Amino acid sequence: MRTGEPLPAVGQVLAALATGTWQWDTDTSLVTVDAEAARLLGLPPKPATLTEAQVRSRLHPVDWNEIVSVVGLAAAEGTLAEVRVRIMDDRGRVVRMTRSRMKPSFDPVRRAYELIGTLQEVTEPSPGTPAGRNAVTGDWRRSREAFLLDAGRALAEARSTEEVLRVAAGLAMPGFSPDGLAVFGVEGDRLTIIGHHGHDPGDEGPFTHLALDTDYPAAEVVRTGRAVYLSSPEQYKERYPLTWPLARQFGRRSWAFLPLIVAGRTMGAWMAAFSYPVRFTPDERSVLTTVARMLAQALSRAGAAETQRELTDGLQRSMLPTLGPDIPGMSVAARYVPTGGGLQVGGDWYDMIPLPSGRFALVIGDVQGHDVRAAGLMGQLRIALRAYASEGHRPDAVLSRASRFLHGMCAGADDPGELRFATCLYVEVDPPSGVLEIARAGHPDPAVRMADGTVLTRPTAGGLPLGIDPDADYPTTRLALEPGETMMICTDGLIETGGHDLETGWKRIRAILEQHDGGLEELADALVQAVHGPSSHHTTGPFADRREDDIAVLLLCRHGDGRGHGATAAVRPSVRRTMLTVAQAEPERIAVARRLLRELLHDWASADQVDSAVLLLSETLTNVLVHTDTDALLVAEVTGEGGDRRMRVEVTDASDDLPHKRRPGELASSGRGLMLIELLAHAWGVDPRGEGKSTWFEFYESEGTDAA
């Protein structure tokens, strides 16, 4: 072409360069190609208008999906799109590799893309070369897909902002990995640094609380919602001359600033900085954009979860009291652990109430449900209980009034789901004597750790849970806490957490109580820690963090002379004792008495002697209920040192009629009680009292050991 002649048409120039042109309208689903583009697609070399299906049949299916992804990214960023495409023949074989560059635009009226692009044949790069890394096909594509899958899974599992940032810092992107990361948030009209990686502590100082109108890439990203890519220091300096001196000191060569968008709102920006030049090809931009979207979602989820946990914990703890002043001769410890994440607010609570008599009361309870209403009812019920107790009412009267109060709170609810009940255990404590007066409303029984480490559940009379019957009665049980003994009361969350039921959960708690050798506070920590374990996201261990229910536990220890949790020396006493009343109208408590005796003899050397003692106890109690019209009082004690101990079981009743040995016939259904005692016990007797009598028997551990 001579100077001064008119320039050739664009089509002639592109044809001379073996470059075809095409146009795609997603609204009509038609693709128009010129002769060169048709030839490259394996069609007759002449202009044609094709359907999307016809074009798609000539392309590798993976590459078609890549085109759709790159077009969307380029349209969002307002940039050119570039993609490598494999052309297939009718037999599905790759006949050539082409490169297409296109300019997409979006028509908001038709809600469709319009694209104009070029198509040119290229040589497929060798794997492992820089050119190969920039291609969208081959190993790099598979590495990218695997990376995005792993990154998405890791970010989805992160439960806190700190974990999200740690995962983001550990991402190794395929072929290009940033060595400097920063996550910016927005507070009002200023940027904040949520976290960073690859920088020294304090480096974030100049970038903290930057105004959003500052000439800084992250600020621009937040303002516009569009990504900023800077491939060289010169480009950074040219576009952002005011803040370039702040970035220059870190020695980076390329930067990508991407918006963190959730539900259409830009919540911040993510910076990925590289110590080597990066061209930010469409494929690299696609990876960065995908990571930014996943990072924004993960940060949003973590922030919402942290806010909910903080609200839940703050609401629950604001309703829990602090334990009162020191009690002469006694120690108290308490723990509360909220339920698992979200707004799963529980209804568990505990309280310690000074009484007008100089005594104090311990209260523990659980309102049905795990929601804000349960927490609200819990707060009101706790206040009501404290008010009734402060008026000087007895334990049974306190629970009766509280039940009427809760029933009145819920009785007017239109929705049956709003009806609630609550379990509760109320203990009035007399510190000088150690006497406990207990009223129970559907709550688990208390447990006592004796001074020698033996753990017994203390059966107590009880009534319906609070709120079910406004006229319910709550009988009172009196127990004595001996010096060196520790009482534990708790909600069912401590027992049943981790998939346990009441039986297996109690065995687990009992083992902890028996094996622990330390102070009262350490025992409270051990109970809670052993139940729900360390969080699996921070520490590995045999327990998962399975807090299906919240947990409340109260411990009361009566100090002894070198005994128990309130002592400085671990001296084991030589006596352990338990008592139980079996009323005429409660024959089912004979089974409770048998279980209580087995717990008392948990470390007895001879299992046969334990079975014999349980059998004789059952016979003795049954004789009282059958042959008299009085109640029976059981007193069982173990004295002496291990291996040479004595077990004494005594059953007292108010009848003056003494038992007599009989010789029942072969088919008789009764009359063998005293015969069994005489045959099995080492010693036995019937002692008259001023009113009534006492039937007793003894076993000696040393004889049982010798026999074994």
Side-chain angles (χ1 to χ4, degrees), residues 303-322:
E306 289 171 346
T307 301
Q308 290 177 345
R309 285 195 294 268
E310 184 177 354
L311 173 61
T312 299
D313 191 56
L315 174 63
Q316 193 83 27
R317 294 190 182 279
S318 67
M319 297 182 180
L320 293 177
T322 56

Side-chain angles (χ1 to χ4, degrees), residues 190-391:
R190 293 187 175 275
L191 286 178
T192 61
I193 299 289
I194 298 177
H196 61 87
H197 173 72
H199 306 87
D200 295 330
D203 286 347
E204 73 278 7
F207 303 93
T208 304
H209 300 298
L210 282 176
L212 287 180
D213 57 0
T214 304
D215 185 32
Y216 183 63
E220 179 179 326
V221 167
V222 172
R223 291 196 308 268
T224 64
R226 300 168 69 95
V228 171
Y229 299 99
L230 305 170
S231 300
S232 65
E234 293 75 19
Q235 190 177 2
Y236 195 127
K237 182 178 180 180
E238 180 182 356
R239 291 188 59 179
Y240 304 98
L242 295 180
T243 54
W244 164 245
L246 298 177
R248 180 175 52 191
Q249 58 181 322
F250 300 109
R252 303 292 197 268
R253 303 295 302 278
S254 299
W255 299 262
F257 292 83
L258 297 105
L260 300 175
I261 301 175
V262 177
R265 182 179 65 88
T266 303
M267 57 177 290
W270 173 47
M271 181 198 75
F274 302 83
S275 57
Y276 55 88
V278 178
R279 293 196 302 116
F280 296 117
T281 65
D283 307 301
E284 292 169 341
R285 295 186 183 192
S286 177
V287 170
L288 290 169
T289 302
T290 304
V291 172
R293 291 171 181 169
M294 294 189 297
L295 182 59
Q297 294 290 337
L299 288 172
S300 178
R301 288 193 302 269
E306 289 171 346
T307 301
Q308 290 177 345
R309 285 195 294 268
E310 184 177 354
L311 173 61
T312 299
D313 191 56
L315 174 63
Q316 193 83 27
R317 294 190 182 279
S318 67
M319 297 182 180
L320 293 177
T322 56
L323 298 180
D326 293 339
I327 305 165
M330 289 187 165
S331 298
V332 181
R335 293 292 183 273
Y336 170 76
V337 180
T339 186
L343 283 175
Q344 292 291 303
V345 187
D348 289 19
W349 89 94
Y350 64 83
D351 205 350
M352 179 176 173
I353 309 170
L355 302 177
S357 62
R359 299 180 174 187
F360 69 93
L362 296 178
V363 188
I364 195 165
D366 182 3
V367 176
Q368 173 199 11
H370 301 95
D371 51 25
V372 175
R373 176 168 171 77
L377 287 175
M378 177 270 288
Q380 296 175 79
L381 183 58
R382 185 177 72 85
I383 294 172
L385 278 162
R386 177 174 279 267
Y388 296 142
S390 299
E391 291 176 353

Side-chain angles (χ1 to χ4, degrees), residues 518-583:
L520 200 64
E521 295 291 339
E522 289 78 7
L523 176 59
D525 290 334
L527 287 168
V528 171
Q529 188 68 13
V531 167
H532 72 77
S535 173
S536 59
H537 293 277
H538 299 285
T539 307
T540 57
F543 300 103
D545 191 2
R546 296 179 59 189
R547 286 174 285 164
E548 303 94 339
D549 196 2
D550 43 352
I551 296 170
V553 58
L554 263 173
L555 300 174
L556 173 67
C557 176
R558 186 180 181 192
H559 299 171
D561 298 330
R563 297 178 292 176
H565 290 295
T568 56
V571 178
R572 298 293 188 185
S574 57
V575 179
R576 70 172 75 146
R577 180 183 298 108
T578 187
M579 296 184 294
L580 180 69
T581 299
V582 180

